[in-house]
Amino acid sequence: VLKRLLNQRVQQLNTSSNIKILEKRALSNNASIYLVEIDNKTILIGESMNNLSLLANFPEGLSEVSDEPEPQT
């Protein structure tokens, strides 16, 4: 059920949902990872042909982190 939900959410715009697929990366033909935001909490989910796994929980506000590199001293 969660696998089907993830596939549907990736195709939507995520504008009015509490579940947002921030990014999806294919690792192979049978494996992908998803960066997902649920109620301001960000998680990383791994998907394989027969399994879904929670890979990591991130602190709140992760999706607001800039892509700019940190200044070096």
Side-chain angles (χ1 to χ4, degrees):
V1 173
L2 182 59
K3 186 174 182 178
R4 186 175 64 223
L5 176 66
L6 285 175
N7 286 332
Q8 290 172 353
R9 294 288 183 200
V10 167
Q11 296 173 5
Q12 295 177 357
L13 296 174
N14 291 327
T15 56
S16 63
S17 176
N18 289 333
I19 301 173
K20 296 180 182 178
I21 308 299
L22 303 176
E23 194 163 344
K24 174 188 175 185
R25 294 290 171 131
L27 302 177
S28 70
N29 289 338
N30 298 323
S32 298
I33 56 173
Y34 297 84
L35 188 61
V36 181
E37 183 179 88
I38 302 173
D39 291 329
N40 295 322
K41 296 177 184 173
T42 305
I43 61 173
L44 186 65
I45 296 174
E47 173 193 31
S48 65
M49 185 178 284
N50 299 318
N51 194 21
L52 284 175
S53 300
L54 176 63
L55 301 177
N57 284 304
F58 297 100
E60 288 188 30
L62 177 69
S63 62
E64 298 172 7
V65 174
S66 171
D67 289 336
E68 297 292 321
E70 292 184 22
Q72 295 182 354
T73 56

